[in-house]
Amino acid sequence: MSETPAGPLRESRYDPSEIEPALYDRWIERNAFHVAADEASDPYVIAIPPPNVTAALHMGHGLNNTIQDVLVRFERMRGRDAMWIPGTDHAGIATQNVVERQLKKEGLTRQDLGREAFVERVWEWVDTYGNTIIEQLKKIGCSCDWERTRFTLDPGLSQAVREVFVRLHERGLIYRGNYIINWCPRCHTALSNEEAEHQEQEGRLWHIRYPLVDDPQRWVSVATTRPETMLGDTAVAVNPDDDSKREFVGLEVELPLTGRRIPIVADAFVDPEFGSGFVKVTPAHDPNDFDIGRRHGLEELNIMHGDGTLNENVPERFRGLDRFEARDRVVEALDELGLLEKTESHAHAVGHCYRCDTVVEPRLSLQWFVRMKPLAEPALEAYRKGDLRFHPERFGATYEHWMTNVRDWCISRQLWWGHRIPVWYCRDTGCAEVAVSRVDLESCPACGGEVDQDPDVLDTWFSSWLWPFSTLGWPDEPEDLKVFYPTHTLSTAPEILFFWVARMVMAGLEFRDEIPFTDVLLHGTVRDAGGRRMSKSLGNGIDPLEVVERFGADAMRYTLVSAAALGTDIQLDHEDLESSFRVGRNFANKLWNAARFALGYLTAEDVERDPETTQLEVADRWILSRLSRATSDVTRGLEKFRLHEAAESAYHFVWSEFADWYVELVKDRLRGERGEASRDAAAATLATVIDGWLRLLHPIMPFLTEELHCHMPGRGIDDTLLFGPWPGSDQKTDADAEAVIDALQEVVGAVRNLRSEYSIDPGRRIDLVVIEPSAALAAAMEKEHRGLSQLARLSSLQQAGSIPEGEPGAHAVLQAGGELFLPLRDVIDLARERGRLADELERLGGLLTGARARLANPGFLSGAPPEVVEREREKADSLEQRHRRLLEKRAAFGPE
């Protein structure tokens, strides 16, 4: 008996707002989610994908964190030391943009403040707002170990970042160089290839004539989608195997508008089928042209400032123009010179900044890079050996493709917020020392002179890829790291499979010699009713906290999990939350009402009693057998990360078997109408089954199940489902009992169908005759006679060898064997029903005659479209079936 009883479940209506906050506070007071390393014997660990510190909870967070919480709660109930590491990401570009927008409202820029003051201002913002999403995660029930909350700019994680940079540099895997990178003119920073999101859009292809220097009356024609970049061309290229162009190799053309001469070179990269076969080469503004330029020793002419305006390397009339305005001016100037050959529409993929959606500019820039191939090879091998598994499996092919085609990672960002690159440059040009250090340097280690730290910061992902072990204390070797690394499962979105997942695998193998997790669960995307991805910019998002406020966290959680088939997207209507979350809300109410009814009949003794010690009846044996099967199904679904199947199995058991059938079958027994022994068996079974489905649903719906568990007689607020035990799936099934209740269910369903077909009042008691019942049905009639009569609303139930001759009645053949006969003489008005059937038969006969005539007409068959003819055949078949069924019904009424 609990020392602190919860009291009876008096509330007739489930109100999650009265239950969920208080329950969560109780869990926190117990420190229920914390796991100490020295007490963990069988750990199960998930590291949360850290949301941006700028983020407010959206439905994508709601889905992913619900999935993680279900897995953690499931393993915790199975007796494992389940630990979920929470935290947030400093989100370099996003956070800096937020604070810069604030400064703009004050009439300031970050340059007005200076670097140190600006960074301090960002920290003030983080201290004020950075914990918002953590508190929001608590409202949806996340059972994280909050004592372990980490931030990617925490001192310990910052130390890990420096250690990794230094080690990779020592290995020759980090280098600095001038290369083409993706540049965001809005954020004024480099982006990695993955951060430049390509979008298909309708553009234009301009064909431009470049006159030959030796013969200005002849020209070559090049095609481009970015005509402004021609001002930075340093060559024209052709394919060396293109015989028609071979004579041009070695000649020079005059670059229009610039007065410069540039050579024609031969390079195998050129596609002779694209455009005219002549390709403009702009080494400072195109990655492929950059490679061509390096092969041929071409000048790399950067024509653009960081803000996207043209610089001093272009003719004076174009200097200072925005790149898109310059595009129009260049095209206009070329047209005036008669050098614009033609313009045509052209669909192509254009890179956009993943943060601000600005069109990125390929631009030559001095940046820091990581050589990825040596890191990718062991990470690829881990997948190929089966050590790393993806769910769904198809994402393994995506992972393999990326890892075999990996490119070096640009890790420097021209921002002020983030991990400063740990490199110092000696101011003494005679020394020119470049020092990479784990600690801040005050002087040059070579000459003792003054030093300047590299102004750039590291890509945000450079700290995130260390998350599974940096959060546990690496590069030190604390007990946490020894016990809890590697983690077990990662749940995340497919779009960051390379951004984050693959890089974590590389980092884990490089710095811990172990993959950071074994199973990667990649869930779908939350979309609106029209199939569009939910986003703030589209205004089609759903605030999870609004859903929690209206329907409760459990309703939201169940809705999301039940809809989240592995790897498929979820559609929700942001304009109709009622319809979107009706399934979860209705199920929560069903659980509450079913438990409230049942608990009213139970005592503490019933809850403690083992049903096997009672005189179980067939309905008891059946529901216990069905519970065993449901337990196996739910357990299997959770183990295989098919959470939607687990949710559906639990739903079907509770709603369709427990509430709709078992509770109805035992109501009279619970009232003691069949004697004390029958009542005790029903009550003990009822308590066991409720306890079972509360446990099965607890990972998905933790609040409601915990509340109902505490209200079980003899239990109280000190009792909890958090630590299980999880129901055993090794319970025996009872095939005989299941066959009996299956037969009973078929009879009740058939009777209900006959009532509907013959318009018999559902509440009216009727007679029923069972003709030659199967063994299972005969057993049901004997052992569950009262239950069958109650559920089918029967006044009498008889068994016969044949249908009463001459008696009007309705018939139904049972799949399990046997036939039902429902006498109709005193149930419906036979004369009126005969008249109604005659009218309907006449109407259907006319329609059927017309359809047959059309199908017999050669002109219709040859002249009408095939789909029209097919519809007519289907219509005739349907009419014929309905006509035949009505004839059978009329025959059932007997002679007039």
Side-chain angles (χ1 to χ4, degrees):
M1 296 284 288
S2 172
E3 295 182 4
T4 315
L9 200 64
R10 293 193 177 93
E11 295 81 0
S12 60
R13 178 177 169 273
Y14 174 53
D15 184 357
S17 66
E18 292 293 321
I19 292 170
E20 293 178 353
L23 264 179
Y24 199 88
D25 288 345
R26 194 187 308 163
W27 291 332
I28 294 297
E29 288 169 8
R30 291 178 177 174
N31 202 21
F33 309 143
H34 178 63
V35 180
D38 58 359
E39 298 175 358
S41 58
D42 183 18
Y44 174 80
V45 184
I46 291 181
I48 198 172
N52 288 348
V53 72
T54 58
L57 199 70
H58 57 62
M59 200 49 74
H61 294 131
L63 170 62
N64 189 27
N65 287 287
T66 295
I67 288 171
Q68 293 171 80
D69 195 46
V70 169
L71 296 174
V72 168
R73 288 179 180 272
F74 170 57
E75 295 295 348
R76 188 183 288 127
M77 290 184 73
R78 295 220 285 184
R80 300 185 71 178
D81 300 296
M83 186 181 75
W84 186 10
I85 306 170
T88 51
D89 193 296
H90 68 276
I93 294 178
T95 309
Q96 180 159 314
N97 283 347
V98 167
V99 178
E100 286 197 77
R101 284 196 294 269
Q102 285 188 343
L103 291 176
K104 188 175 182 180
K105 293 177 182 177
E106 302 170 19
L108 297 171
T109 67
R110 62 183 167 110
Q111 287 78 14
D112 293 333
L113 268 65
R115 184 168 193 145
E116 187 175 335
F118 176 76
V119 170
E120 186 177 331
R121 180 72 178 261
V122 180
W123 272 112
E124 289 175 3
W125 188 93
V126 169
D127 291 340
T128 303
Y129 301 104
N131 206 41
T132 298
I133 196 165
I134 294 295
E135 294 305 313
Q136 292 173 330
L137 289 173
K138 294 177 181 179
K139 292 185 182 299
I140 66 171
C142 292
S143 60
C144 298
D145 188 343
W146 299 113
E147 291 183 27
R148 298 180 181 277
T149 303
R150 300 290 184 264
F151 180 48
T152 51
L153 274 176
D154 282 346
L157 277 70
S158 297
Q159 181 189 357
V161 167
R162 280 216 179 170
E163 181 67 28
V164 164
F165 188 97
V166 172
R167 287 195 193 183
L168 291 177
H169 188 269
E170 290 172 345
R171 281 196 58 194
L173 296 181
I174 282 185
Y175 64 95
R176 192 184 193 213
N178 273 299
Y179 292 92
I180 289 286
I181 49 87
N182 299 292
W183 181 266
C184 176
R186 158 65 182 78
C187 298
H188 293 271
T189 185
L191 302 173
S192 68
N193 291 323
E194 294 73 34
E195 290 169 326
E197 297 178 342
H198 284 78
Q199 303 170 14
E200 278 291 328
Q201 60 187 58
E202 192 65 33
R204 304 177 79 182
L205 191 64
W206 286 270
H207 295 258
I208 306 169
R209 293 172 176 173
Y210 288 7
L212 292 172
V213 170
D214 292 340
D215 186 358
Q217 300 306 310
R218 299 174 65 202
W219 60 80
V220 301
S221 178
V222 300
T224 180
T225 59
R226 298 156 63 214
E228 71 282 3
T229 63
M230 64 154 291
L231 301 174
D233 285 1
T234 56
V236 170
V238 298
N239 190 292
D241 297 326
D242 187 348
D243 293 339
S244 66
K245 307 293 189 304
R246 190 167 291 146
E247 64 174 297
F248 292 93
V249 176
L251 300 179
E252 289 184 321
V253 297
E254 181 181 340
L255 185 64
L257 309 179
T258 69
R260 290 192 289 113
R261 296 178 173 187
I262 58 176
I264 299 177
V265 300
D267 194 277
F269 174 79
V270 176
D271 178 3
E273 302 300 319
F274 177 76
S276 65
F278 291 95
V279 175
K280 61 188 289 295
V281 181
T282 321
H285 292 279
D286 182 275
N288 297 314
D289 292 3
F290 175 82
D291 293 337
I292 293 174
R294 286 288 169 101
R295 286 193 289 271
H296 295 275
L298 300 176
E299 182 184 4
E300 296 165 352
L301 189 64
N302 186 354
I303 65 166
M304 213 167 285
H305 291 299
D307 61 359
T309 59
L310 271 57
N311 64 20
E312 68 283 355
N313 290 326
V314 302
E316 189 171 351
R317 58 174 161 162
F318 300 114
R319 293 174 189 170
L321 295 180
D322 175 78
R323 54 187 168 151
F324 298 118
E325 184 181 355
R327 178 176 299 176
D328 295 337
R329 296 281 186 90
V330 166
V331 169
E332 184 180 314
L334 290 169
D335 195 26
E336 289 174 357
L337 294 172
L339 297 177
L340 185 63
E341 188 170 281
K342 64 177 178 178
T343 304
E344 56 187 343
S345 296
H346 179 69
H348 61 133
V350 178
H352 289 69
C353 175
Y354 80 113
R355 273 297 162 200
C356 68
D357 204 40
T358 300
V359 174
V360 300
E361 193 66 39
R363 181 171 179 258
L364 187 66
S365 183
L366 183 62
Q367 302 287 342
W368 287 93
F369 297 85
V370 177
R371 300 186 200 279
M372 298 300 283
K373 190 173 182 181
L375 300 174
E377 288 170 348
L380 179 58
E381 183 63 20
Y383 166 68
R384 288 175 170 169
K385 287 194 305 182
D387 296 340
L388 179 68
R389 298 185 291 265
F390 292 96
H391 311 270
E393 292 180 3
R394 68 176 184 271
F395 285 108
T398 305
Y399 174 87
E400 188 167 23
H401 172 76
W402 276 339
M403 299 302 259
T404 52
N405 296 278
V406 68
R407 298 178 67 171
D408 285 358
W409 175 15
C410 176
I411 57 171
S412 46
R413 299 290 181 270
Q414 288 63 54
L415 304 171
W416 287 356
W417 172 247
H419 295 97
R420 189 91 172 258
I421 289 179
V423 175
W424 284 261
Y425 307 97
C426 182
R427 292 182 184 176
D428 186 339
T429 56
C431 174
E433 173 75 4
V434 177
V436 177
S437 176
R438 291 175 173 84
V439 296
D440 288 353
L441 297 181
E442 300 297 331
S443 60
C444 176
C447 72
E450 294 182 330
V451 291
D452 293 311
Q453 188 175 359
D454 193 300
D456 293 348
V457 300
L458 289 161
D459 179 8
T460 297
W461 298 103
F462 197 86
S463 53
S464 302
W465 75 324
L466 315 178
W467 186 252
F469 52 88
S470 65
T471 51
L472 295 170
W474 189 91
D476 295 332
E477 289 288 332
E479 195 66 18
D480 279 357
L481 187 61
K482 297 173 184 176
V483 173
F484 298 123
Y485 185 88
T487 68
H488 297 81
T489 306
L490 175 72
S491 174
T492 190
E495 53 263 34
I496 58 173
L497 180 53
F498 188 78
F499 266 144
W500 190 48
V501 179
R503 288 173 180 162
M504 282 193 290
V505 177
M506 293 185 240
L509 287 166
E510 174 68 17
F511 302 107
R512 296 298 302 164
D513 201 30
E514 285 184 281
I515 56 174
F517 31 73
T518 304
D519 292 285
V520 180
L521 172 59
L522 296 154
H523 59 74
T525 299
V526 182
R527 301 186 181 277
D528 67 14
R532 299 178 304 169
R533 184 190 184 101
M534 286 189 174
S535 72
K536 185 186 296 184
S537 61
L538 291 175
N540 64 346
I542 294 175
D543 180 358
L545 298 187
E546 181 183 352
V547 178
V548 170
E549 185 177 335
R550 289 183 58 180
F551 309 112
D554 281 347
M556 183 190 78
R557 290 167 63 108
Y558 183 84
T559 298
L560 292 175
V561 170
S562 63
L566 202 59
T568 62
D569 293 343
I570 294 176
Q571 285 191 294
L572 299 171
D573 189 346
H574 64 289
E575 295 180 338
D576 187 358
L577 297 185
E578 181 76 22
S579 66
S580 293
F581 295 93
R582 181 184 296 129
V583 169
R585 182 205 60 190
N586 289 352
F587 188 41
N589 287 333
K590 183 75 170 182
L591 299 178
W592 181 267
N593 292 331
R596 182 172 173 269
F597 166 81
L599 295 181
Y601 289 98
L602 300 181
T603 66
E605 289 74 18
D606 296 325
V607 173
E608 296 300 322
R609 185 180 291 124
D610 181 354
E612 296 296 334
T613 65
T614 68
Q615 299 176 27
L616 295 175
E617 299 184 16
V618 67
D620 307 323
R621 290 162 44 213
W622 168 74
I623 197 64
L624 290 170
S625 181
R626 297 306 301 165
L627 173 62
S628 179
R629 293 187 191 277
T631 299
S632 296
D633 292 343
V634 173
T635 304
R636 187 184 314 110
L638 295 176
E639 287 177 337
K640 294 184 175 297
F641 307 110
R642 305 187 70 83
L643 275 61
H644 68 292
E645 293 181 359
E648 290 166 3
S649 296
Y651 181 100
H652 174 74
F653 173 75
V654 177
W655 194 305
S656 301
E657 296 181 331
F658 173 77
D660 285 357
W661 289 99
Y662 182 71
V663 170
E664 295 299 322
L665 284 169
V666 299
K667 280 181 176 178
D668 61 334
R669 295 171 59 198
L670 293 172
R671 292 191 292 263
E673 295 176 11
R674 298 201 216 173
E676 184 177 348
S678 180
R679 182 258 163 219
D680 288 348
T685 301
L686 186 71
T688 296
V689 172
I690 291 175
D691 181 82
W693 60 251
L694 287 176
R695 294 176 189 277
L696 293 179
L697 280 166
H698 183 69
I700 302 172
M701 307 175 78
F703 294 106
L704 177 57
T705 52
E706 181 90 329
E707 181 71 8
L708 294 176
H709 175 77
C710 292
H711 281 85
M712 293 280 282
R715 294 177 184 160
I717 62 173
D718 299 324
D719 295 293
T720 182
L721 291 171
L722 289 174
F723 307 107
W726 184 255
S729 57
D730 56 349
Q731 303 167 31
K732 295 179 181 178
T733 55
D734 191 326
D736 291 340
E738 290 193 25
V740 169
I741 301 302
D742 284 348
L744 180 149
Q745 290 173 326
E746 186 181 7
V747 170
V748 172
V751 170
R752 289 172 178 170
N753 289 337
L754 291 174
R755 283 180 182 273
S756 174
E757 187 174 344
Y758 289 91
S759 302
I760 302 172
D761 185 343
R764 176 170 180 169
R765 294 279 182 173
I766 55 174
D767 297 328
L768 183 67
V769 180
V770 181
I771 313 300
E772 297 184 347
S774 65
L777 180 51
M781 294 174 64
E782 175 190 353
K783 298 175 181 178
E784 285 295 339
H785 184 280
R786 292 180 63 169
L788 177 55
S789 297
Q790 178 60 30
L791 289 169
R793 305 294 293 163
L794 304 179
S795 54
S796 69
L797 175 61
Q798 301 175 26
Q799 182 175 333
S802 61
I803 296 174
E805 190 173 344
E807 179 71 22
H811 303 258
V813 177
L814 301 174
Q815 290 183 351
E819 186 177 353
L820 302 183
F821 179 75
L822 195 160
L824 295 174
R825 187 180 302 279
D826 298 321
V827 176
I828 63 173
D829 186 332
L830 292 176
R832 188 176 70 176
E833 188 65 16
R834 286 192 183 101
R836 188 187 68 78
L837 284 178
D839 293 342
E840 183 64 8
L841 281 167
E842 183 178 356
R843 186 184 74 83
L844 285 177
L847 293 173
L848 183 57
T849 299
R852 286 171 174 168
R854 278 187 291 278
L855 291 171
N857 182 349
F860 173 75
L861 295 176
S862 61
E867 61 271 18
V868 173
V869 175
E870 183 59 29
R871 281 200 301 270
E872 195 66 25
R873 285 199 178 98
E874 292 173 357
K875 175 183 172 183
D877 289 343
S878 175
L879 289 169
E880 191 167 354
Q881 290 176 19
R882 289 162 61 192
H883 193 269
R884 183 166 56 248
R885 181 63 186 140
L886 289 182
L887 289 173
E888 292 171 356
K889 285 182 69 174
R890 186 173 67 178
F893 294 159
E896 296 187 27

